[in-house]
Amino acid sequence: MKFGADTLPTLQAELEANPVLIPQDAPIDPAKYIVGPGDKFLLKIWGGYQLEETLPVLPAGEIILPDYGSVKLAGLSLKAAKDTINQKINRLYKEIEMSFSLVEVRSLRVHLLGDVRYPGLYTLFPTNRLTDLLKISGGTTPSGDLSSILLIEGKDTTRLNLYDYYQNGTLSANPYLREGLIVYVPPLEPTSDRVYLLSSVSKGYIRLFKNENLWDFLRRTRAVTRSEQFQSIAVKREGETLLMESPEQLYDFTLSDSDSIIVSTIADSVYVVGGVNIPGAYPYIPGMSITEYLSLAGGPTSSGSIKRVSVIRGDKKLNTDEAGYLQAGDIIKVKDNTLTVIKRYTSVISPIASIILTAYAIGLFGGN
């Protein structure tokens, strides 16, 4: 599913009606899984007494145990719940064997807030992790800080660095979701060192760690590993553009605050930038119109104007009539509407456009 400006109501309704089924990444740990309303258990008894029945955990947190009554299980670990039922059953029946198994996990609701594309209330499962939530919700905005995510449960707040999971595989940095959890993705702090990344998969400011080299940054942000065919990498620093010509340079080059990194990935591409929902590189297909490429890019944002579209070709800036048929290497730029320009007079649109033009001028985007 691609996300556009009008997608959120439909997305929310679809997730509400059909919780996303994401495969488990590992068997449930009975000591860590917490039972809650909506879980379903299968009780089997054989030997001196025969019984097989599916028992749901009711909204108040209890199950109705045959011949016994209500037994509260919500809040117990799966292991503790099994031990509790085993004790109750053994008091009721003699010379029997039994099993009490979790056969269906409940859905749960999690709040996602902060600098994310589509904040709101999402329905998932206890076997889903934080990255699953971010994936189905469209991810963070360019200014969202993945290194300082807050998980809020009642009076308890935990701060985690999701890059520890992406870079080192630290599972504790990508925890399972829990009922009522509030996930808050903060914006980058104004004083944080940051760099601007432009590639076919990423666009925006990202926090820079102390003494981080270019290779570690690209690996941490997955700017290279997610690319289909990356061709070249350049860094723009204080007006000078430095082209990385060997892998060794990636390891040796230490990034600085306010650097701009340009990753060229697909030679025969048309780039769509500016006020669109999904900016980036799209394969060049002869005969495709500007309107069709804008559709691929999710259409204009609420601040973008369909009436203010231009095409950058080489050193020329063309309006849509002058551009004619699109060519490989063209950059389609959607400008903000007049009201947004007034509100964001001091925005970073001009520096970003400068970065894109610089990238094209040095041949990173497959131009002639």
Side-chain angles (χ1 to χ4, degrees):
M1 175 184 291
K2 289 201 170 184
F3 299 93
D6 300 324
T7 307
L8 182 56
T10 303
L11 174 66
Q12 295 282 32
E14 180 180 327
L15 291 174
E16 188 75 18
N18 302 292
V20 176
L21 294 173
I22 300 175
Q24 292 179 210
D25 60 352
I28 289 175
D29 185 341
K32 295 181 179 179
Y33 184 89
I34 304 301
V35 175
D39 284 333
K40 290 183 181 179
F41 290 87
L42 178 62
L43 174 63
K44 284 187 176 182
I45 302 174
W46 65 96
Y49 181 79
Q50 303 291 324
L51 176 70
E52 181 172 331
E53 189 166 341
T54 299
L55 305 174
V57 180
L58 300 175
E62 79 275 4
I63 66 169
I64 305 301
L65 193 61
D67 298 330
Y68 184 88
S70 174
V71 180
K72 188 163 185 177
L73 297 183
L76 299 180
S77 69
L78 180 56
K79 181 180 183 304
K82 288 185 174 184
D83 290 342
T84 298
I85 297 301
N86 186 62
Q87 293 172 6
K88 305 294 186 187
I89 292 296
N90 283 319
R91 290 176 187 172
L92 285 173
Y93 310 110
K94 303 301 180 183
E95 299 180 356
I96 57 99
E97 298 291 334
M98 66 160 287
S99 67
F100 184 70
S101 305
L102 179 65
V103 292
E104 185 177 324
V105 298
R106 67 194 182 278
S107 60
L108 52 78
R109 307 193 78 190
V110 178
H111 302 266
L112 178 62
L113 305 173
D115 275 42
V116 293
R117 292 191 182 278
Y118 298 106
L121 195 58
Y122 287 89
T123 303
L124 290 118
F125 298 93
T127 52
N128 293 146
R129 292 184 181 272
L130 173 61
T131 48
D132 297 326
L133 172 63
L134 293 175
K135 181 178 180 180
I136 70 160
S137 64
T140 65
T141 65
S143 62
D145 188 359
L146 293 179
S147 68
S148 190
I149 296 177
L150 299 181
L151 304 183
I152 304 168
E153 291 182 276
K155 296 181 179 180
D156 298 326
T157 299
T158 303
R159 187 184 301 271
L160 59 83
N161 181 355
L162 194 55
Y163 291 124
D164 283 344
Y165 168 73
Y166 286 135
Q167 188 170 4
N168 304 315
T170 306
L171 288 178
S172 60
N174 184 25
Y176 288 112
L177 302 176
R178 297 179 292 276
E179 248 143 346
L181 183 68
I182 298 173
V183 178
Y184 177 74
V185 179
L188 288 168
E189 294 288 343
T191 57
S192 296
D193 287 351
R194 68 189 71 190
V195 298
Y196 186 86
L197 175 63
L198 174 65
S199 75
S200 64
V201 294
S202 302
K203 175 180 178 291
Y205 287 99
I206 298 178
R207 183 175 181 176
L208 177 66
F209 295 156
K210 186 176 181 180
N211 298 322
E212 190 169 24
N213 65 41
L214 181 54
W215 172 249
D216 285 342
F217 174 84
L218 293 173
R219 188 163 65 96
R220 169 169 67 87
T221 58
R222 299 173 293 158
V224 170
T225 55
R226 291 184 296 171
S227 299
E228 295 177 5
Q229 297 176 341
F230 99 86
Q231 293 182 316
S232 55
I233 298 173
V235 177
K236 185 177 179 182
R237 176 180 291 175
E238 297 180 351
E240 182 180 3
T241 300
L242 308 170
L243 186 63
M244 302 293 115
E245 298 179 343
S246 69
E248 290 75 18
Q249 285 181 284
L250 302 181
Y251 293 100
D252 296 338
F253 191 90
T254 301
L255 292 169
S256 296
D257 184 33
S258 300
D259 281 348
S260 299
I261 303 167
I262 306 164
V263 180
S264 175
T265 55
I266 307 171
D268 293 330
S269 296
V270 171
Y271 280 74
V272 186
V273 300
V276 292
N277 286 291
I278 316 171
Y282 293 87
Y284 170 66
I285 301 174
M288 275 190 62
S289 67
I290 292 174
T291 301
E292 289 169 327
Y293 275 106
L294 291 177
S295 178
L296 285 177
T301 62
S302 58
S303 62
S305 173
I306 195 67
K307 297 180 180 179
R308 305 187 69 199
V309 178
S310 58
V311 175
I312 300 169
R313 182 176 296 156
D315 58 353
K316 297 180 180 179
K317 183 177 179 181
L318 310 171
N319 62 39
T320 53
D321 291 330
E322 294 172 332
Y325 289 107
L326 290 172
Q327 301 175 14
D330 280 353
I331 301 172
I332 302 171
K333 183 177 179 182
V334 178
K335 294 182 179 180
D336 282 348
N337 56 45
T338 303
L339 180 60
T340 301
V341 171
I342 295 173
K343 288 182 177 179
R344 298 181 182 175
Y345 180 75
T346 59
S347 72
V348 296
I349 292 175
S350 293
I352 293 173
S354 174
I355 293 166
I356 296 169
L357 290 172
T358 300
Y360 186 82
I362 63 176
L364 292 183
F365 290 165
N368 294 324

